[in-house]
Amino acid sequence: MTKTVCRCPECGSTEAYCDESRSIVDLSYMTCPACGNAGLNDSWQVAEDWLVEIDLPDGAPIPATLPGLADGEYFQQQLAKAREAREAREAEAPRSRWRVMGRDTFAREDYVAGEFATEAEAKRRVAELEARHAASQDEALRDEVWILEVKPS
């Protein structure tokens, strides 16, 4: 039979529990009387660090200790590793930039209206400029704006 047991991630004691009197909204105060490990944990930390499923024969008692977590196995540490790996990949990957260009139809000159990290930001800037130009410039001399994708070299 599979049973979910609360165990201390530090020492592995199955005496660990949630102290509801010290818990607050969306955070459970998990505590271990065996080693003193305690603190507020979100539901993900409780599920990943404190709760473990074990197989027990029918009628068998829950063992006094189970294996705890090794350094690097804690939920927050796993998230940090995943974030560092993602940031490293992003830092290595060349990034496109989005440049908003404009053409002053009266002066017949092109100009840069801004550079943006995402196409969505560039589109917002184009919409702002088009609205401003429509409000302040005659249609025959109205500035034109467009987006260029600037690829890294």
Side-chain angles (χ1 to χ4, degrees):
M1 170 174 78
T2 302
K3 186 165 183 108
T4 301
V5 177
C6 182
R7 63 96 167 89
C8 175
E10 292 285 327
C11 71
S13 171
T14 56
E15 293 179 29
Y17 65 97
C18 175
D19 184 349
E20 292 296 335
S21 68
R22 298 177 79 180
S23 297
I24 58 175
V25 178
D26 294 332
L27 295 174
S28 300
Y29 191 87
M30 302 302 291
T31 187
C32 174
C35 72
N37 180 24
L40 290 170
N41 292 261
D42 65 23
S43 60
W44 292 96
Q45 288 172 289
V46 172
E48 294 293 322
D49 294 347
W50 290 83
L51 300 180
V52 61
E53 289 189 358
I54 59 172
D55 289 323
L56 287 175
D58 286 338
I62 296 172
T65 60
L66 295 169
L69 295 176
D71 191 33
E73 291 180 331
Y74 289 90
F75 182 67
Q76 293 295 344
Q77 293 171 331
Q78 292 174 18
L79 285 179
K81 283 182 192 175
R83 183 175 41 253
E84 288 170 4
R86 186 190 74 237
E87 289 171 354
R89 283 191 309 273
E90 289 174 355
E92 292 172 4
R95 294 183 136 184
S96 292
R97 305 259 321 145
W98 301 90
R99 184 176 294 156
V100 175
M101 296 294 298
R103 174 137 180 93
D104 184 329
T105 54
F106 181 77
R108 299 182 183 163
E109 295 177 338
D110 291 343
Y111 59 91
V112 177
E115 285 204 11
F116 303 90
T118 66
E119 186 177 17
E121 292 172 322
K123 285 181 178 181
R124 278 194 294 278
R125 181 65 174 146
V126 166
E128 291 170 6
L129 290 171
E130 287 175 341
R132 183 186 307 161
H133 296 160
S136 64
Q137 297 175 353
D138 292 334
E139 189 172 352
L141 295 176
R142 192 169 296 158
D143 288 4
E144 300 168 2
V145 289
W146 66 94
I147 299 172
L148 290 176
E149 183 179 5
V150 181
K151 299 211 183 235
S153 45

